[in-house]
Amino acid sequence: MEITKKIAQAIIESRPVIDEMLVPFKGVEVSNVGFKDADGDPFEWEDGTEYAIVSFKAMSEYHFDRASEDFENEDYADACNHNLTLSVEATKARELISSTGVLVCHKIENKDGDMIVVVKSFKAIPAENAGTKLRTLGGKKDGKKSKIALAENDEVSIDDMRVALIKDGASKKDVKAMNDKKVAKAYAEL
């Protein structure tokens, strides 16, 4: 599936930006759980324990800046690949597939000496999306073009796209089973 500009924008703008440390952000969705590397081998820690990489439908300011840069360079597929992740023991990660919960981040120093935002914890629980902020690509801020702006009321969210697909005749079950990329693609074809 080709990621178009419209699809990439919908995906990026559907991800809240986590900009406060040690604050629980409710309603954060797990977007993917990967158990194998590019060669098809399971991820393993040094002690041989298998783990998975859990990707969240959320980003840090750094991720948003990288996504904005890729988007501006018309690299839409890469623009959609910037999000927060967490390595989790494989059996526990299976329980997180398609879940929503509370995400807490903190800053750590990476090997280059830079302070970076990483996921500290995630607890899968039913929660409403509260305390998260969405951004728009190429939005307006103070009348000037800005690559980062809070989402406007007239923006179409992934949830609004799901509702539109159901109103257009798609079954609720089918729409609920779709990931964000498929929802955005189907919405773009309406």
Side-chain angles (χ1 to χ4, degrees):
M1 170 182 84
E2 178 186 354
I3 304 290
T4 64
K5 180 178 183 177
K6 187 175 181 179
I7 292 169
Q9 183 170 356
I11 290 169
I12 294 164
E13 290 178 354
S14 73
R15 294 179 177 160
V17 175
I18 307 298
D19 58 359
E20 295 180 64
M21 300 304 101
L22 302 174
V23 173
F25 285 87
K26 299 176 185 175
V28 176
E29 297 175 39
V30 171
S31 57
N32 186 53
V33 180
F35 295 90
K36 298 184 178 188
D37 64 19
D39 297 325
D41 298 321
F43 294 115
E44 287 186 357
W45 281 311
E46 290 180 10
D47 67 0
T49 305
E50 291 186 13
Y51 70 93
I53 297 176
V54 179
S55 299
F56 297 98
K57 187 178 167 183
M59 342 182 234
S60 66
E61 289 286 350
Y62 171 79
H63 292 115
F64 185 78
D65 289 345
R66 295 285 310 276
S68 297
E69 184 179 312
D70 287 340
F71 186 86
E72 288 173 11
N73 292 328
E74 298 180 5
D75 190 349
Y76 303 124
D78 278 351
C80 294
N81 285 329
H82 300 287
N83 56 314
L84 290 165
T85 62
L86 178 66
S87 297
V88 177
E89 193 269 321
T91 55
K92 290 180 182 176
R94 284 177 181 36
E95 299 170 10
L96 299 178
I97 295 171
S98 300
S99 66
T100 300
V102 178
L103 185 76
V104 176
C105 293
H106 66 144
K107 286 188 178 183
I108 63 168
E109 188 174 327
N110 69 7
K111 62 184 176 187
D112 298 327
D114 298 322
M115 295 302 289
I116 60 170
V117 175
V118 297
V119 176
K120 179 173 179 61
S121 66
F122 177 77
K123 180 172 179 158
I125 57 171
E128 297 201 10
N129 190 4
T132 56
K133 299 174 187 174
L134 299 179
R135 303 280 195 252
T136 59
L137 297 167
K140 301 257 181 188
K141 187 174 181 183
D142 299 325
K144 298 179 183 176
K145 188 170 172 116
S146 169
K147 76 176 184 182
I148 299 175
L150 289 175
E152 302 283 335
N153 289 335
D154 61 349
E155 294 296 325
V156 179
S157 71
I158 290 293
D159 290 335
D160 291 338
M161 290 180 196
R162 288 181 193 279
V163 169
L165 290 172
I166 292 167
K167 285 182 179 177
D168 193 54
S171 77
K172 286 182 182 180
K173 182 180 177 183
D174 290 343
V175 173
K176 188 175 180 179
M178 295 171 136
N179 66 29
D180 290 348
K181 288 180 185 179
K182 288 182 182 176
V183 169
K185 181 180 180 189
Y187 179 80
E189 293 172 355
L190 287 180

